Amino acid sequence: MSDGRGRLRARPRDIYGSGNDYSERDVQLGLAAGVVAVRSNGRSSCPRRRSHTRSQRQLRNSFGVATNHPASFGIVGLGVGVEFSRQASLLPVVSIPFGVRGAHTSYGITIAVN
């Protein structure tokens, strides 16, 4: 997103003309492990993933006063992958957040090509 002067904007500024600015920084560290559950033409694996996320949100009003909202939470990912060949695999994943209010489970698909 550009601010019209050739600079990138990483956050909303002057939200709806209110003079309030918003910024957020997120850092995530995780570990993934899996085992081969079935061996056949296509190999299936059961990977599990756990990660810890640290988030720092800030809302600054038009007077320059900032309100900070730090948060730490975890995410557990579950999925069963299918390897079609040594070059291609498919992994549907369910990500379940914990330790944070109002978070929702998310679903995704990872396609890997080697």
Side-chain angles (χ1 to χ4, degrees):
M1 206 171 170
S2 174
D3 65 359
R5 291 175 259 173
R7 293 182 293 173
L8 290 178
R9 284 180 29 192
R11 60 185 176 168
R13 295 179 190 242
D14 195 21
I15 301 167
Y16 297 113
S18 66
N20 296 323
D21 298 335
Y22 176 79
S23 67
E24 182 174 339
R25 285 184 296 261
D26 299 309
V27 177
Q28 188 174 41
L29 179 65
L31 177 67
V35 296
V36 175
V38 176
R39 287 197 188 270
S40 64
N41 291 343
R43 291 189 304 175
S44 297
S45 61
C46 300
R48 289 191 327 187
R49 180 181 54 147
R50 185 173 192 282
S51 62
H52 179 77
T53 302
R54 173 84 174 133
S55 176
Q56 177 70 38
R57 295 169 289 175
Q58 183 181 73
L59 185 63
R60 184 177 300 275
N61 67 18
S62 59
F63 300 108
V65 177
T67 303
N68 294 306
H69 298 279
S72 290
F73 57 93
I75 299 172
V76 172
L78 306 171
V80 176
V82 177
E83 187 177 81
F84 298 105
S85 67
R86 287 275 196 207
Q87 289 79 29
S89 60
L90 178 71
L91 176 65
V93 178
V94 176
S95 297
I96 306 164
F98 62 92
V100 63
R101 286 185 300 155
H104 300 283
T105 299
S106 62
Y107 306 91
I109 295 175
T110 300
I111 298 171
V113 179
N114 195 8

